[in-house]
Amino acid sequence: MVEQAGGVRPRVRFAPSPTGFLHVGSARAALFNWLYARQNGGTFILRIEDTDTERNREEWVDGIVSSLHWLEMDPDEGPYRQSERADRTAAAIDRLWAAGAVYACDCSREVIDARTKENATPGYDGNCRDRGLERGAGALRFRTPDEGSVVVHDLIRGDVVFQCSSIEDFVVVKSSGAPLFVLANVVDDIDMAISHVIRGEDLLPSTPKGLLLWEALEGPGAQLPVFAHLPLLVNAKRQKLSKRRDTVAVESYRDEGYLAAAMRNYLALLGWSDPDGREILSAEDLIARFRLEDVNNSPAFFDVEKLRWMNGEYIRALSVDDFIAASAPWTAPPLAPWPAERFDADVFRRMAPFVQERVTVLGEVPAMVDFLFLGEPVIDDAAWAGLVADEQALPILDGALDAYGDCEWSADALKEATQAVGDKVGRKLGKAQAPIRIAVTGRKVGPPLFESMEVLGREAVLGRVGAAADELRRRAG
Ligand code: GLU
């Protein structure tokens, strides 16, 4: 293979087919392309491979574009659409036909299967190679050389050698006249002067076909791209990630409240690791430290728990203002369960530092603060059952009602008052506050209770503690 000419700036592309949400594996491929372009002053191109008209939908294109934008990886060029370049592909087919590189074949799948089922090597048997069928008589197949090999020079895997004898005369144009992916993909890569093809290893088996086409179109001395086939993503059971079993859509993670920077950081570690073992890496760090050559070729575990951990780290590293801004979609309907007019930005701001310490995804924010904006706390049956079973719950609530009536209204004073209530029933502070937390917030966990009560205000706290005590008396019968 001809190496990239020195000094040429790389041109790389992310070439998804718009048949679904943006898969995390695709996003990882986009990221590695983007990083390679950014660190080498290259161009990152988005090309939508929409030749499979039955499976493509326009909304998936929008989803891909908006997810890349969310990840702050907007393309330098594109989105181009393969479908808009049909004339280029048609011209390439003419050239292949004129050169005798492809021939027409009218065998149906069934006929081929019946004819070849006894053969040692599966696949098409070259039946129509020399029949001299007219163009238009059927599909067009590539005339694969009988001998020799195709070598894929891969930055990650080294040289991968495919014997031509194992590559059947593959279809490049269907009998309907529609080009196949392998052809359209190569025509576009040639036209767009792609220097590096960085993509998932699922595409490695079709790569020798692409290279045969590339040389047939551009001549044997053609400058071929450098390849980098990225390792597969697997789940905890070492199974290939699947739409049915695993959460694979980037959009789902965005909607759950992962930060784009954390997502990008985590995706970078799928197949690559920092030479010094660093895990938290900003975009600038990644651009400086990532090396395509350091990507390994064993399957990469997509560890959602680790992603969650990382997201928590990113959330805690935000300034409070940035945390509030990032939380904004979750503090208003429809993501927040309270009506918009109940939300008080100043109240949220006071609680924000505590919330920021405790959430791992922004989707957890509403549950942390809903007691402030919902009017009444929602105490479910399980929580009531817990209170009923706890014989000290009622004395604690009654004691709190008493103590909170006239104490100074500050977190410190509330803590002291609660401590005193606990002392009376022989409970440490942590356990003494449990029934009060349920009465005030409806939940067992949440931001620090005394700060929460300070923000909520005396009147609301007394109302809630009193109401819970009354209800508990009724339930305890
Ligand atoms: N469109 C192909 C796919 O989504 C990717 C092609 C490529 O990156 O070369 O599988």
Side-chain angles (χ1 to χ4, degrees), residues 26 41 93 169 177 181 278 285 302 313 338 348 357 362 396 417:
S26 301
I93 297 168
D169 285 358
F181 153 77
R278 281 178 55 187
D285 292 334
F302 185 76
E313 296 292 304
W338 50 80
F348 183 65
E357 282 302 311
L362 296 172
I396 288 174

Side-chain angles (χ1 to χ4, degrees), residues 26-27 34 43 74 100-101 120 156 179 195 229 232 293 363 381 424:
S26 301
W34 180 82
T43 305
D74 286 320
I156 298 169
S195 62
H229 284 96
L232 201 71
E293 295 82 346
D381 285 341
K424 274 196 208 138

Side-chain angles (χ1 to χ4, degrees), residues 133-286:
L133 293 178
E134 294 287 304
R135 189 172 164 187
L140 295 184
R141 288 185 179 271
F142 186 80
R143 199 182 291 277
T144 304
D146 294 326
E147 291 177 355
S149 58
V150 181
V151 183
V152 178
H153 296 285
D154 191 292
L155 284 178
I156 298 169
R157 275 145 225 276
D159 284 355
V160 188
V161 182
F162 294 85
Q163 296 305 325
C164 289
S165 56
S166 69
I167 306 170
E168 66 172 12
D169 285 358
F170 52 96
V171 175
V172 292
V173 182
K174 291 190 213 168
S175 52
S176 65
L180 261 86
F181 153 77
V182 66
L183 176 64
N185 182 262
V186 162
V187 169
D188 284 349
D189 281 347
I190 293 171
D191 277 359
M192 295 178 186
I194 297 303
S195 62
H196 294 70
V197 172
I198 304 166
R199 61 185 178 186
E201 71 170 15
D202 52 322
L203 290 155
L204 183 57
S206 71
T207 304
K209 297 178 185 173
L211 287 179
L212 287 169
L213 283 168
W214 195 301
E215 288 198 332
L217 288 165
E218 293 294 281
Q223 178 152 311
L224 301 173
V226 176
F227 289 91
H229 284 96
L230 310 174
L232 201 71
L233 301 191
V234 294
N235 65 18
K237 293 186 187 148
R238 300 267 132 194
Q239 298 160 317
K240 184 172 181 251
L241 286 194
S242 104
K243 261 191 225 174
R244 277 168 294 112
R245 283 190 297 255
D246 309 294
T247 306
V248 296
V250 168
E251 288 90 336
S252 305
Y253 290 98
R254 180 189 61 197
D255 296 348
E256 281 178 45
Y258 286 83
L259 299 180
M263 191 76 202
R264 204 175 42 208
N265 186 160
Y266 183 68
L267 290 173
L269 302 180
L270 295 172
W272 174 80
S273 51
D274 179 78
D276 298 332
R278 281 178 55 187
E279 294 202 303
I280 302 288
L281 296 143
S282 68
E284 292 70 33
D285 292 334
L286 289 172

Side-chain angles (χ1 to χ4, degrees), residues 23-39:
H23 188 286
V24 286
S26 301
R28 189 268 315 256
L31 172 64
F32 285 15
N33 276 284
W34 180 82
L35 286 172
Y36 194 75
R38 288 289 80 84
Q39 67 185 191

